[in-house]
Each structure stands twice: as C-alpha cells, then as structure tokens.
Amino acid sequence: MHYRFYEEKKMTVDTHLGEIAPSSHTSMDSAVQTLTEHKDAWIRTPLATRLAIIDTLITDFASLAQRWVAAIAQAKGLDEHDPLVSEDWGGGAWPVLLTLRQLRQVLSDIQQDGHPHIPGPVVTRPDGQVTAQVFPFRPYDRVLFPGVTAEVWMQPGVTVERLPDTQAISYQTKEQEGKLALVLGAGNVASIGPLDLLYKLFVENRVVLYKANPVNAYLGPLLTEAFRALIKPGFLDIVYGGADEGSYLCQHPGIDEIHITGSDKTFEAIVFGTGEEGEQRKASGQSLLTKPITGELGNVSPVIIVPGPWSQKDIAYQAEHLVSSVANNEGFNCNATRVIIQQRNWTQRTQLLKQMRHIFAQLPSRPAYYPGARERQQRFLAAHPEAELFGQQDQTLLPWTFIPDVPANQSDDICFTTEAFCSLCAETALEASTIVEYIQKAVTFANQQLWGTLNVTLIVHPATLKLPGVAAAIDQAIADLRYGTIGVNYWAGTSFVISVTPWGAFPGHSIEDIQSGNGIVHNTLMFSQLQKCVLRAPFRSLMTPPWFVSQNKVAYKLFKKLTYFETAPSWRKLLDIAATAMGR
C-alpha cells in the first residue's frame, strides 16, 4: 500500500544554493542494487581495510570542512564568518571528524584485543546496575573539557564480567549475510546524517543508502565528495527527494532495515501510513512495515533547577546556561531546553527568570531557516497569549519566545505535550515543602507529564548537595529519570557532539507510542545493552563553555581549530586551542 510521509512545508529562506532534483525510481533502484551486491563484501571487509577507509574519510572530510560550514551558513542566511557560525563548526563539522577519530581508536582496539577499551572505571552500583565511564575518552579530553565526565548505565542484568561480551557484537559474531540500511537524514543539524550512516556502517555493519533531507540536501554533493572512500567500493550511496521518494524506498524490497532522525509524525507515517486509515492501524497495532525500523525523534526537553544558595554570579552563569541551550541552532534541536522546572517557593526563582529575560532581550533575532517554525510558534502563542517575545519579528526573523509559570497541573498544556522545535521555551513551578520532596516531584513530573524521553538536565549547587538527604535524592533521581541522556550541571544536549556517548531515547517505547524513538546512534564504544548516559560537570566551569551565547566570537575560532585538530591530534596543537579558549 502506498502512503506519504508527513513533511514540513518547504523552506522559505532563499538559500541560493540551487535545487537538487529528486532521485528517480530508476536511479534509486540502481543504488539499491549496487549496495545489495556489496553488502556481503562489507561484512567481510577486514579491520585493516576499515581503518584505511577511516583514515581516508578523515583526510577527505577535513579538506572540505570549510566549504561544508560555508554552505550551512548560506542556507541559514548568515555570512560564513559570522560568529554565530561557531555552531556549525561545533555541531556540524567537528563531530564528524571526532567520531571518525574515535571509531579509528575503537577499531584498533578490536583489532588488538577483540573488543573496545573502556577508558574509565567500570563499577557496580549498590542496586546492582553496572556503569562504565566513557568520557574523557582520551587524555586530550581532560584539557578540552575540564571537569566533564560521562558514564553509560547498562541495562539491569549486565555484569562487569559480561560487559566486554556486550560490546562490538557485529565484530564478535560472524554474520553470514550482509544487510542494507536506509538512513533517512535529518534537516536541522548537518552532522546528524553523517553520524547516523557511520553508526550503521561501522557499529552495526550495514551498507547504507542515505536519503538526504530536502532541507539540507545542498550538502549531498559535499558528502558524496567527502565519503567517496565508502561510495566507490559500493558500501554507501546518496539519493535525494522528499515524501514520495522516502515512501518508495521504505517499501523497497531491497531495503532490509530503516533508521530515521526526525519527527515522530514521520516515523508513524512510515509505520502506519497517514490519515484516518493510519490512525486506525496505529490504534490496532497493525504496522505496514515488515522490516525493522529505529528512530531518534523529538522531545520536550526539561531542565530541573534544584534550589540552592546561588550568588549573583551563579544566577548570571546559569541563566546564560539555560538561554544558550534554547538559542543554540536557533532552537532547531531535538535536545533544546523546552521546559524549565523550579520549586515555587525558592526565593531566587524570580531572579533567575529576570536574568534569563535580560539575556534573551540582548540576543539578536535570527532567520527562522527551518520549515514550519513560524506556524509552530503561532500554535504556542494561541494557547499562551501571555507569552513574552524578545527581539525583532518580520518575514524571516523569529523572536525568542518565553512562556513563564505554566500551571504544572495542566497536563494537556501544549508546552508539556508538544515539541516546539523553534526559538521557544517555557517554565513551570512545583509546590514542595522541602528540597528532597521537590526533587522527587520534579522527577515524577518529567517522567509522567512531559512528552518524550531523549534528554533531561539537572542543575544543583554543590552546597545544596551537602544538605541532609539531598545527595541521595539526586542519585535516586538520576536512577529514576527515564531519559536516554541525563546532564548534571551541563546541558544534556552537549552529549550529542561528544559521540562516544550514546544518543537516543530511553529504551522501551512501543511502535504505537514511539515518543522520542527507539535504538541509539553515536555510541562509538559499541555497547549493545545500555540504558542511559549520564553527563556530569561542575556547577560552574572554570572557563565559560564555548557554546554559551556570550562566547560566539571565541567559539568560532575554537571549534574551527578543534575540527582540524582531529585530523592529527597533538599536544602542541592543544596548547594553541587552550590559548584560543582563554581568548588569546
């Protein structure tokens, strides 16, 4: 049965990059045929050859990184030297080379010892759950990310002794037949597509047909050039188009499995179809697909603010922390902060909100390059006419939108049930007589009231942790939060670019209630039985993180240098990067 995907309206910003024609059925059939003919060869490709391919990919991508970022800037309506383009070096180019560098190390470990090396301690928690510290991944990371650590929590039942057996499964088992994965690329962040297809190829051992999202299809020719070491031997191909082409490929008998980064609506359209018939199939659990599908989808991402004795500097720092997690990439991130949770009677709640407003008011409005942003914002404004707008608004510019004090007992409020996917966030407050009671209520609220399970952030002052029962309550909160990534004093969304950290929803969603998705990506240490990732940082970093909105000028230079650092890392280069980070 034929069905169409849910697709946003076409991009309204004139990119001047030229239209890329959709691939014909004949060309897509040819791509599937070529990949099918080489999928068995890929699973037999020795590690030495894979390492050589990765070395070539690093060289080739680095050689066009400047053009890659310039194309993104043009599509967003920015000059390529605008400090805001730091986001596209830091989120669009650097993660690709960082991932390739990590994959190279992991494949070398497998070649030497049969499994990836875990860089940090592996411990068993009192409740029996095993955690493995994965970041810092290498000594350089301790300098690049001072004080930042990350651990992966395994699914209950995994033991320390068994943990190596759960890594790099596709390299431990000798598959007899290769598989072809269709990767439906996202349109919002330029690194998502390359990272998704690298995961399928090198972690899950699939050849890949990548369909570029129409929003950033302009990057397709550059990706073809950068990844020719995989395309030439028939392990990867790239096609173009929208809903019709995606639908055709999803139903193609040559496709063995599907991965999508995007909307839950698109995911459901693939699985059940659209319209009334699609709703009926979803209600009865009758999937149109006979092949596996995974997805990294949206989220109403919360930040839980734990009350504490915050100084004025603390308030200024954390207000910028929150605003930056909304403003990054103009809010077109699935991990952008959408709901800030606070304790109603915390005396500094209003001070924090006041400082956030001050920062929003100073941020220039930006072109809303992603399709449908204005319409999504209007739906929120219709439900909340009291919303506060900051900045200019015209045919291309969209103001920053803040909706404070949304009643927490209105469970069907759009702020709690719908991902805004634009430059918008909300705030709500919970009644509680103690901090421990508040933490417990905030966890329940995030788990039960907010849509999605992708990422959540906790912010807690070190002095608060010393109060009776609070440290234990925070530890229990981390254990209880049903999110794929939990950030403690660091925006959980930054885990996306670290790459060694797995990225995806908390496991367990059914196809009928997919929310933030199923399956994971990134995860370069190749864990197969993980539950969540926990990212930790100091309450205030020694140096302001480069992704904070006040750091764009420094970040532009820094992330560009970090990108090229990954071509051949060295301590000499790191000293120069450290000097740049300090504004020298």
Side-chain angles (χ1 to χ4, degrees):
M1 180 178 293
H2 186 75
Y3 52 90
R4 287 181 58 85
F5 291 171
Y6 172 89
E7 288 280 347
E8 301 279 14
K9 295 180 180 178
K10 288 187 176 180
M11 181 165 54
T12 56
V13 176
D14 182 8
T15 65
H16 304 293
L17 295 170
E19 294 293 331
I20 295 182
S23 300
S24 66
H25 286 193
T26 299
S27 63
M28 290 188 286
D29 289 343
S30 176
V32 170
Q33 179 63 34
T34 299
L35 291 165
T36 299
E37 291 170 356
H38 292 89
K39 62 184 182 181
D40 289 343
W42 176 245
I43 64 172
R44 294 194 296 268
T45 300
L47 285 166
T49 303
R50 292 181 182 226
L51 287 166
I53 288 173
I54 288 178
D55 286 339
T56 303
L57 293 173
I58 290 172
T59 300
D60 288 351
F61 188 85
S63 70
L64 56 73
Q66 181 72 54
R67 286 189 287 150
W68 180 265
V69 173
I72 302 167
Q74 187 177 352
K76 290 183 174 182
L78 300 171
D79 182 273
E80 66 176 288
H81 302 295
D82 190 310
L84 288 171
V85 178
S86 62
E87 296 171 350
D88 303 311
W89 281 106
W94 174 53
V96 178
L97 286 168
L98 177 64
T99 297
L100 287 167
R101 180 59 58 190
Q102 290 177 1
L103 285 170
R104 195 193 191 291
Q105 181 59 56
V106 168
L107 291 183
S108 297
D109 293 343
I110 295 171
Q111 187 180 48
Q112 177 181 328
D113 296 320
H115 61 85
H117 296 169
I118 298 171
V122 178
V123 300
T124 303
R125 287 174 44 81
D127 61 4
Q129 194 164 8
V130 170
T131 69
Q133 185 176 310
V134 300
F135 191 83
F137 179 76
R138 56 190 176 174
Y140 299 127
D141 297 329
R142 299 183 188 278
V143 178
L144 294 172
F145 296 88
V148 178
T149 64
E151 73 241 19
V152 176
W153 292 34
M154 305 304 155
Q155 293 181 11
V158 175
T159 63
V160 172
E161 294 74 23
R162 280 191 54 235
L163 185 56
D165 298 333
T166 71
Q167 291 179 270
I169 295 298
S170 62
Y171 293 89
Q172 294 189 40
T173 59
K174 300 298 180 181
E175 296 178 280
Q176 300 302 309
E177 294 183 355
K179 291 186 178 181
L180 168 54
L182 171 65
V183 173
L184 300 172
N188 58 323
V189 176
S191 62
I192 293 176
L195 297 185
D196 287 355
L197 66 86
L198 286 173
Y199 187 79
K200 285 292 179 182
L201 277 153
F202 289 99
V203 179
E204 295 190 348
N205 222 9
R206 283 31 173 158
V207 296
V208 171
L209 181 59
Y210 175 71
K211 188 192 79 66
N213 188 291
V215 176
N216 58 12
Y218 60 86
L219 290 170
L222 291 173
L223 189 60
T224 297
E225 183 180 343
F227 280 34
R228 56 194 169 189
L230 288 164
I231 293 172
K232 187 176 180 180
F235 303 141
L236 169 68
D237 207 346
I238 300 171
V239 295
Y240 301 91
D244 289 336
E245 289 72 28
S247 175
Y248 179 78
L249 289 170
C250 285
Q251 299 173 70
H252 200 292
I255 299 294
D256 296 309
E257 59 188 46
I258 302 165
H259 176 77
I260 174 175
T261 295
S263 162
D264 62 304
K265 301 294 189 299
T266 303
F267 186 97
E268 290 178 351
I270 295 170
V271 175
F272 300 111
T274 57
E276 187 176 340
E277 289 185 3
E279 288 296 326
Q280 291 173 353
R281 291 191 199 94
K282 179 183 174 182
S284 60
Q286 296 179 344
S287 173
L288 290 171
L289 281 182
T290 58
K291 58 193 73 174
I293 179 171
T294 55
E296 190 267 279
L297 310 174
N299 194 48
V300 175
S301 303
V303 176
I304 299 172
I305 305 293
V306 180
W310 292 17
S311 68
Q312 289 303 309
K313 288 184 177 180
D314 293 336
I315 289 172
Y317 180 95
Q318 295 300 347
E320 186 178 358
H321 188 178
L322 292 167
V323 170
S324 299
S325 67
V326 177
N328 184 272
N329 198 38
E330 304 171 51
F332 300 124
N333 289 329
C334 59
N335 49 34
T337 294
R338 299 300 177 199
V339 176
I340 298 164
I341 305 170
Q342 300 205 70
Q343 185 175 357
R344 181 167 295 280
N345 62 355
W346 180 39
T347 56
Q348 293 175 294
R349 175 192 171 207
T350 55
Q351 295 176 51
L352 179 62
L353 296 182
K354 181 180 179 181
Q355 183 63 22
M356 287 183 63
R357 292 182 177 100
H358 175 70
I359 297 171
F360 273 130
Q362 295 184 75
L363 284 185
S365 298
R366 296 169 59 175
Y369 75 91
Y370 201 83
R374 192 172 305 280
E375 292 82 359
R376 285 190 295 275
Q377 184 216 34
Q378 289 301 316
R379 289 199 293 272
F380 280 78
L381 293 182
H384 288 281
E386 78 283 6
E388 302 171 14
L389 304 181
F390 302 89
Q392 291 179 273
Q393 181 170 213
D394 58 26
Q395 292 301 311
T396 60
L397 299 175
L398 200 65
W400 308 104
T401 306
F402 184 47
I403 308 175
D405 204 20
V406 179
N409 60 357
Q410 293 184 2
S411 59
D412 61 347
D413 192 284
I414 189 172
C415 295
F416 303 152
T417 63
T418 306
E419 182 186 21
F421 212 71
C422 64
S423 51
L424 180 150
C425 76
E427 185 257 3
T428 191
L430 305 179
E431 302 282 357
S433 57
T434 67
I435 292 177
V436 170
E437 180 190 2
Y438 162 73
I439 293 169
Q440 294 167 345
K441 285 189 172 183
V443 169
T444 300
F445 181 85
N447 281 342
Q448 298 181 8
Q449 295 286 92
L450 302 183
W451 179 86
T453 63
L454 186 61
N455 65 290
V456 59
T457 302
L458 280 160
I459 297 179
V460 55
H461 194 284
T464 306
L465 289 171
K466 296 178 182 179
L467 297 175
V470 172
I474 291 292
D475 185 69
Q476 190 61 50
I478 295 169
D480 292 342
L481 282 164
R482 297 196 297 270
Y483 287 83
T485 298
I486 301 169
V488 181
N489 288 334
Y490 213 63
W491 175 34
T494 59
S495 178
F496 173 89
V497 300
I498 294 175
S499 208
V500 69
T501 46
W503 186 251
F506 191 82
H509 290 304
S510 67
I511 292 295
E512 295 79 22
D513 183 25
I514 196 62
Q515 295 198 39
S516 294
N518 58 353
I520 52 168
V521 289
H522 304 188
N523 183 37
T524 50
L525 285 170
M526 305 185 185
F527 296 109
S528 65
Q529 295 184 36
L530 60 92
Q531 183 191 70
K532 66 175 76 171
C533 171
V534 181
L535 185 69
R536 303 176 192 266
F539 178 72
R540 278 173 50 192
S541 299
L542 291 175
M543 293 188 295
T544 304
W547 47 271
F548 274 33
V549 291
S550 65
Q551 302 299 302
N552 287 327
K553 290 183 179 179
V554 170
Y556 180 90
K557 299 176 183 178
L558 179 65
F559 284 122
K560 186 174 183 179
K561 288 183 177 182
L562 278 174
T563 299
Y564 293 116
F565 172 81
E566 299 302 340
T567 62
S570 71
W571 288 106
R572 179 183 61 80
K573 291 180 181 178
L574 199 66
L575 289 174
D576 179 53
I577 289 171
T580 301
M582 290 184 285
R584 296 178 183 173

